[in-house]
Amino acid sequence: MIRKVLKFAIALVLSMSVTAYAEAEETVLIKNARIVDVEAGTTSPPQSVLIEGARIAEVGPEIAGPDAPATVLDAEGGFLIPGLWDSHVHIFSSQDEPDLALPLYMINGITAIRDMGALVPIEQQQALQAKIAAGEVLGPQLILSGAWVDASPGSWPGMFLADTPEEARSVVERIDAEGWAAVKAYSMLNEATYRSLASAARDVGLPLVGHIPERVTLDTAIKAGQVGMEHFGRITMACSTREAEMVDALRQAMAEGAELSDIFGLMADRNAIVLGSWDAHLCADVLGRMARAGMYVSPTLIVADFYTGNWPAADAPRMQMVPSAVREAWGKPDFRLEAMTDEVRALAEESIALDRRTFLLAHEAGVPILASSDASFANPYLFHGFSLLDELDIYVAAGLTPREALSTATVAPARFFSLPNQDGTIAPGQRADLVLLDDNPLESLATLRAPRAVVVGGTVLDRAELDRMTDELLAAAE
């Protein structure tokens, strides 16, 4: 059904991609831009940025540039920042989802994404990744870290499955051979299998990222060398004096063959336990160990909006850019909401507040944060592009400064992914992924909502082009 709805959109997006990439082979000169140094928290006087192909060639107050650059963009004193990252998305929950997801990211200033789990084969993911890298399709840089490993029968279709240490080692060999960027642990792995997974990943030189399995403590994950943690709730749980007790209860229930409903019940009971046993001194110790270990966290705090019913109106522009078939599916009963008990609903706001308090403490303790949204057509009301900006606003509401929040989507990902020619700065040799803004984002992130221009791998999408893309997305999704 979704394929039929997207048929028109695909033609539009692919046509737009090919046309735009042709411009990336030319030279671009951006004039009169105030360059934002996100890490230092400073802005420069008006500068020029010369882009050749997909790289920044020169930055300075006076750049002559070539005799006839293909594109000259006068920033008129606007503020230029590195392109944004969304470090946890799912763009492959259907065959055609990327065709709409990619432009949704670009119109929101997001020039790089990390996919964390797909429902299509790796070969299809790698084919799109290669086309983007080669410039055949215009889109944000794509990292494929969705080699998720779970216990049988698996939480999602197509997962790698491992129930023993031996199976974990075999699975990692397959993941390595298939060319994934990381190994992703998932929720139901037992501890012995998880430890083997971590060891095998280390042996083949792949980072271990993902969930902290429900039968594993956070301290075990730190000691195992997990370098990236998805979602935030397990950190708040680790700040409870009863974390080990909660983990042991689930281990015992699963060892005794408990029904799935009973297992979910134990997990739901954790909310009340954590609220009653969260300890500030323990939390400081936990967060200090995480910071010293350099464990990056992709919080996806925006996910809570789904569970509390904080959904946009049906006529909101972001809703209108989602295919009608997807909107219809989102409006149907959802297994995740149905699993919530009345007690969990009653405690939701208090639990969210504790997560955000703990998040601020994590930031203050030096735990590195990767801005992330969990956006996917399979995750209701989590929107490609838009939800990342919502996530950044949550960080500010929790107590981060705009600069600190912006760093989680620019500087921190550059450090975590260690990609060549990308360090979160605007400097010669760096990849030309940029966003031009009307106002200083170090003072307010509201300016991110309407970029004046977005540069994706050297291709300039000015405001007129961004508006055209927006109009086409609206038309395609009807």
Side-chain angles (χ1 to χ4, degrees):
M1 185 175 182
I2 292 177
R3 292 182 65 89
K4 293 175 65 177
V5 173
L6 295 181
K7 185 176 181 181
F8 175 55
I10 296 167
L12 287 174
V13 173
L14 290 181
S15 173
M16 179 170 54
S17 300
V18 172
T19 301
Y21 175 70
E23 298 173 358
E25 292 298 310
E26 306 294 344
T27 302
V28 174
L29 182 63
I30 303 176
K31 301 167 58 177
N32 301 316
R34 300 179 186 275
I35 295 174
V36 178
D37 185 325
V38 176
E39 186 164 24
T42 60
T43 61
S44 74
Q47 303 277 300
S48 292
V49 178
L50 180 65
I51 299 170
E52 295 179 349
R55 302 290 177 195
I56 298 172
E58 191 175 351
V59 178
E62 296 182 7
I63 297 176
D67 293 335
T71 302
V72 177
L73 178 62
D74 191 344
E76 299 178 334
F79 295 84
L80 196 65
I81 66 169
L84 303 177
W85 281 78
D86 190 333
S87 292
H88 187 127
V89 306
H90 301 273
I91 68 168
F92 297 102
S93 60
S94 72
Q95 294 282 349
D96 301 320
E97 186 170 0
D99 298 299
L100 288 187
L102 299 186
L104 284 169
Y105 286 111
M106 291 185 289
I107 66 172
N108 284 285
I110 297 164
T111 60
I113 56 177
R114 177 176 59 149
D115 193 272
M116 293 300 294
L119 302 182
V120 303
I122 177 63
E123 293 81 8
Q124 293 183 32
Q125 300 174 56
Q126 290 171 331
L128 178 60
Q129 182 186 49
K131 288 179 179 178
I132 292 172
E136 297 172 18
V137 169
L138 180 64
Q141 186 174 11
L142 175 59
I143 292 179
L144 302 177
S145 294
W148 40 16
V149 185
D150 202 9
S152 299
S155 303
W156 293 92
M159 289 181 134
F160 294 93
L161 301 178
D163 296 304
T164 67
E166 293 74 21
E167 289 176 349
R169 284 190 287 272
S170 177
V171 160
V172 169
E173 290 176 1
R174 289 172 53 201
I175 290 170
D176 184 39
E178 290 182 6
W180 295 91
V183 176
K184 180 182 178 181
Y186 214 69
S187 298
M188 302 316 295
L189 292 170
N190 66 55
E191 183 171 328
T193 301
Y194 170 78
R195 288 179 179 273
S196 179
L197 191 77
S199 176
R202 184 167 54 251
D203 288 345
V204 300
L206 286 175
L208 179 65
V209 300
H211 295 200
I212 307 300
E214 300 296 338
R215 291 181 279 178
V216 172
T217 65
L218 179 56
D219 185 61
T220 296
I222 294 171
K223 291 176 179 176
Q226 184 164 334
V227 299
M229 174 182 175
E230 312 308 311
H231 316 303
F232 197 82
R234 287 301 305 274
I235 297 178
T236 308
M237 178 176 158
C239 294
S240 161
T241 56
R242 298 175 63 185
E243 181 201 19
E245 174 188 330
M246 289 182 275
V247 170
D248 284 341
L250 190 62
R251 286 176 183 158
Q252 181 175 347
M254 293 187 70
E256 294 173 352
E259 295 290 334
L260 196 58
S261 59
D262 294 330
I263 292 171
F264 285 159
L266 285 172
M267 293 167 65
D269 290 344
R270 290 174 172 178
N271 288 352
I273 295 172
V274 171
L275 286 169
S277 58
W278 188 94
D279 183 85
H281 294 292
L282 172 60
C283 204
D285 178 64
V286 168
L287 298 174
R289 281 183 276 130
M290 289 183 68
R292 288 189 295 274
M295 178 185 277
Y296 281 70
V297 178
S298 302
T300 66
L301 299 179
I302 189 63
V303 172
D305 279 5
F306 166 64
Y307 290 97
T308 58
N310 185 19
W311 308 336
D315 60 353
R318 64 175 67 186
M319 280 290 285
Q320 295 303 309
M321 292 182 197
V322 174
S324 58
V326 176
R327 296 198 301 269
E328 182 181 347
W330 286 1
K332 294 178 179 178
D334 186 273
F335 70 95
R336 288 158 288 200
L337 292 180
E338 291 177 340
M340 292 180 67
T341 64
D342 290 340
E343 181 185 30
V344 170
R345 290 188 186 92
L347 296 175
E349 294 296 339
E350 192 176 356
S351 296
I352 291 169
L354 185 58
D355 275 347
R356 294 188 183 184
R357 176 186 176 188
T358 309
F359 169 80
L360 178 59
L361 292 174
H363 166 73
E364 292 173 343
V367 176
I369 306 295
L370 298 173
S372 48
S373 70
D374 211 6
S376 170
F377 287 168
N379 290 334
Y381 308 108
L382 294 176
F383 298 84
H384 295 300
F386 296 98
S387 288
L388 189 277
L389 303 186
D390 298 339
E391 179 84 359
L392 294 179
D393 286 343
I394 291 174
Y395 297 171
V396 174
L400 273 63
T401 66
R403 184 203 68 79
E404 291 168 336
L406 192 60
S407 181
T408 69
T410 53
V411 176
R415 289 178 175 166
F416 182 71
F417 296 113
S418 299
L419 298 174
N421 305 110
Q422 292 175 260
D423 63 6
T425 68
I426 299 174
Q430 296 296 297
R431 179 178 167 86
D433 287 340
L434 307 165
V435 183
L436 179 62
L437 305 167
D438 285 330
D439 301 311
N440 187 352
L442 302 179
E443 298 175 358
S444 171
L445 297 186
T447 189
L448 297 177
R449 299 287 176 173
R452 191 186 301 177
V454 177
V455 183
V456 184
T459 295
V460 176
L461 305 173
D462 61 15
R463 188 62 255 174
E465 177 64 12
L466 294 171
D467 287 341
R468 186 180 74 82
M469 292 169 65
T470 299
D471 291 342
E472 289 182 340
L473 286 165
L474 288 167
E478 289 180 354

